[in-house]
Every structure is written in structure tokens, then in C-alpha cells.
Amino acid sequence: MGTARVRASAERGSDFARLSRRIAREGLLDRRPGYYAVRIGLVAGLFAGTWALFAVVGDSWWQIPVAVLLAVAFGQLTLLAHDLAHGQIFRSRRTSRLAGLLVGNLSVGLSYGWWMDKHTRHHANPNHEDHDPDVAPDILLWSEKQAEASRGIPRFIGRWQAFLFFPMLTLEGLNLKVASFRGLSRKSLKSRKVEGLLLSAHVLAYLGALFLVLPPGKALLFLAVHQACYGVYLGCTFAPNHKGMPVLTAEDELDFLRRQVLTSRNVRGGHLVTTALGGLNYQIEHHLFPSMPTVNLRKARPIVREYCASLGVDYVECGLFASWGQALRHLHEVGRPLRAVRT
């Protein structure tokens, strides 16, 4: 897919304000403490229960499925940290941050402050090749412009990145931990010492538990399976949202509503899909109203979809597997020029 070239006139600047007023009248921006109390309890129970199961199973090859289950628990905790970062759960920023540090840094080894800064920049300019860190040309290439300018490893991988995407996701869990520790060097990061201590405590407790219960070989295998499944789970959760949608550049002039809607994709599915993706299958609604409690996104969907139709704004929805297919086709198309030449 080529770079999007869609523009909106200045007269449309109030479109989001009208939608926002309607959403507010429906009470969909109101907090849902009961929902989050239940969700936090279930996720905490899954996390603690999986570690308890790990201790009970002990030195056994049955620890492999336990590693997979722990990856699911880590994924659900990460999705909970996402909601905390958006202020969906608590009114107080301080409370949200403290909870985020416990869930992110201590529980899963992800720097809450570093990730929150990165994710905030993504929400401000989704799929913008100059401003969205999620489509920065790190290893994977997301636009033809990035492919043309690529050198070294990204250029080599870019040729066949669609085929390498899922295998590379197995490293995403470890990559996030490395990036979290690297993020501690940023002076703009608040409470760097606290974040560093909590990240270090996580690593020590995690490795200590593995090597205390399991012999070295099984401990390393458990670590590899757990982190690989965790990375794939996160990738399969976040990739359907924007990958394969229009990539914006400085030439694209869009108001807030169109910038969010045209670069996002909803994923159809029932309660299982919603639970697995942490509600991010309603990505369009989430990007329009980041602080809206996850449980309310489903109710906002028909309102937003109808409103977009009245404006003539494309509202994209598809199934989970179809969304992955669109993302992979986009990656393959971006790498096409690289496959046509030898460097």
C-alpha cells in the first residue's frame, strides 16, 4: 500500500467536537470502577495463580504450558497498564502512575514512564512516518520512503519482512525490556531511579524464581518459551490496529477525527476477541476517546460508525485474521522495491 494522500478542509474542524458532545451525553466517558475492580481482580488472580502453579509443578516438562499461560498473564497485565496510562481507571494521575509502576515495571518488566511517553506520541500522530514511534524505521519498514532510505540490517530484512514478522515477534518481549532499561538514560523520564529499581527487582525476582525451581536447562527453556509467547501475544494484539492502514507524511493535512479514524482499524469478534485484545479491537473509538473505559468502547462503536458514514469518512472493520493479512500484505508491498534491486 502506498502512502496516503488524503486531505480535509478547515471547515471540518468541528466534526470531532459534535461527536464528542454526543458521546458525553450518552455517559460513555464516565468511569466504570466496578468493571475495573472485577478485571483487576481476575488479571491479578491469573498472574498470582500462574506463579503458584509454577511452584507446584516444579522440575517438570509440564512447565512448558505453564510458560505459555504466564505469557497470557503478562499480556493481560500489559493491557491493564495501557488503560492506566490513559487514565481510564483512576481519576488521580498520581494513583494511575503508582499503579502503572507496579503493574508495568515490577510485574512485567516494562518501563511505565518510557512506554507512556512513546504511546502518547503514537496517539498524537498515528501512523505518521515522521512522528509516530511505532512506525519508525527501526528494523521493519512501514513506507516506500523508508524502504528507499534504508541501509544495513533494515534494508536486508525489509525485502522479506512480511515472512519474518511473526518470527521476529518472538523477540518483542525481550526487546521491550531492553528498551525499558535504555529509556532510563533519558533525563526527561520522571522518577528514573524508582523505575530502575523496580525494573531491576523484576528481573532479579523473575530469574531467581526460574533458577530456584528449575535446573538451568529447563529454566532457560521456560524463559525462551515464555518471552517468545509474550512477544507474539503483544504483537498479535497491537498489529491489527494500524498496520496496513494509510501511512501519513507531512504532506497530509487532516483534522483530529480523520487523522485518528483513517489510520485505525477495528477488529470484529465476540467477547473472546475483546478479552484477548483488551478492548483494543475497538481501536477507532479508542483513538478518538483514549480515556474512555474499555468496556464502553463497544457501546460507542455504532455511534461513531454512523457518524463517520454521515461525513463520508471511511470506517474500517474486519476479522482478526484478515487484519493480520492486511498488515502482512502491506509489509510485503513496502519491501517490493528492495526485492527488485541488488545492493
Side-chain angles (χ1 to χ4, degrees):
M1 181 183 293
T3 301
R5 290 291 180 269
V6 283
R7 292 176 171 79
S9 64
E11 289 78 15
R12 294 175 178 173
S14 61
D15 287 342
F16 174 71
R18 288 192 289 270
L19 174 62
S20 182
R21 287 193 292 269
R22 181 176 176 185
I23 291 292
R25 285 197 301 269
E26 296 292 333
L28 298 179
L29 297 177
D30 297 344
R31 299 187 185 280
R32 296 291 299 273
Y35 161 77
Y36 275 111
V38 172
R39 180 175 167 187
I40 291 171
L42 290 174
V43 173
L46 176 63
F47 181 70
T50 305
W51 277 118
L53 181 62
F54 170 80
V56 170
V57 172
D59 183 4
S60 168
W61 291 110
W62 285 105
Q63 289 287 14
I64 301 305
V66 175
V68 176
L69 182 61
L70 188 61
V72 175
F74 268 48
Q76 285 293 314
L77 280 170
T78 304
L79 291 168
L80 197 59
H82 167 272
D83 288 10
L84 285 165
H86 282 297
Q88 296 177 18
I89 303 177
F90 301 111
R91 293 184 183 278
S92 167
R93 290 186 179 182
R94 184 173 182 274
T95 303
S96 297
R97 177 170 177 76
L98 289 175
L101 290 173
L102 292 175
V103 173
N105 293 58
L106 186 60
S107 299
V108 300
L110 173 66
S111 170
Y112 178 76
W114 165 78
W115 182 85
M116 184 176 179
D117 173 73
K118 174 177 177 287
H119 195 62
T120 298
R121 288 184 284 127
H122 156 71
H123 266 265
N125 291 282
N127 263 27
H128 194 293
E129 65 177 6
D130 297 321
H131 303 301
D132 183 356
D134 287 354
V135 293
D138 185 10
I139 296 296
L140 297 177
L141 306 172
W142 302 104
S143 70
E144 293 179 4
K145 178 182 175 182
Q146 291 178 356
E148 293 172 359
S150 65
R151 296 291 184 272
I153 294 178
R155 188 173 184 87
F156 175 77
I157 291 179
R159 298 172 183 173
W160 307 106
Q161 59 184 6
F163 299 97
L164 297 172
F165 179 69
F166 281 105
M168 289 178 65
L169 284 181
T170 61
L171 301 174
E172 182 60 17
L174 293 174
N175 176 59
L176 287 173
K177 285 179 172 53
V178 172
S180 293
F181 276 101
R182 290 176 60 186
L184 297 178
S185 63
R186 297 175 54 182
K187 295 183 179 180
S188 60
L189 184 67
K190 297 180 180 179
S191 307
R192 287 190 294 168
K193 291 184 179 180
V194 173
E195 291 227 12
L197 286 173
L198 291 175
L199 285 174
S200 299
H202 166 81
V203 172
L204 291 174
Y206 176 79
L207 294 178
L210 263 56
F211 286 95
L212 179 65
V213 173
L214 301 174
K218 287 181 181 176
L220 291 174
L221 180 60
F222 185 99
L223 185 151
V225 172
H226 172 231
Q227 292 298 327
C229 291
Y230 175 49
V232 172
Y233 182 18
L234 287 185
C236 291
T237 298
F238 287 95
N241 303 336
H242 303 281
K243 309 312 180 189
M245 297 302 290
V247 177
L248 306 180
T249 71
E251 298 178 21
D252 297 304
E253 300 175 3
L254 296 170
D255 64 0
F256 177 80
L257 183 142
R258 288 162 181 80
R259 185 165 69 249
Q260 303 298 335
V261 174
L262 295 176
T263 60
S264 302
R265 177 197 298 115
N266 274 12
V267 177
R268 289 193 294 266
H271 292 298
L272 179 61
V273 170
T274 299
T275 300
L277 301 187
L280 295 182
N281 48 316
Y282 300 109
Q283 188 67 194
I284 294 174
E285 289 71 29
H286 171 60
H287 259 256
L288 288 171
F289 305 99
S291 63
M292 179 184 290
T294 298
V295 70
N296 287 345
L297 296 173
R298 176 180 60 85
K299 299 177 182 178
R301 172 179 166 270
I303 299 174
V304 173
R305 185 176 58 177
E306 177 188 352
Y307 187 73
C308 286
S310 72
L311 297 176
V313 176
D314 290 341
Y315 182 101
V316 178
E317 282 186 311
C318 65
L320 182 61
F321 292 106
S323 69
W324 293 343
Q326 290 178 26
L328 294 176
R329 284 192 294 273
H330 173 74
L331 286 170
H332 195 61
E333 180 62 22
V334 168
R336 181 179 55 79
L338 301 181
R339 295 190 296 275
V341 297
R342 290 187 177 183
T343 57

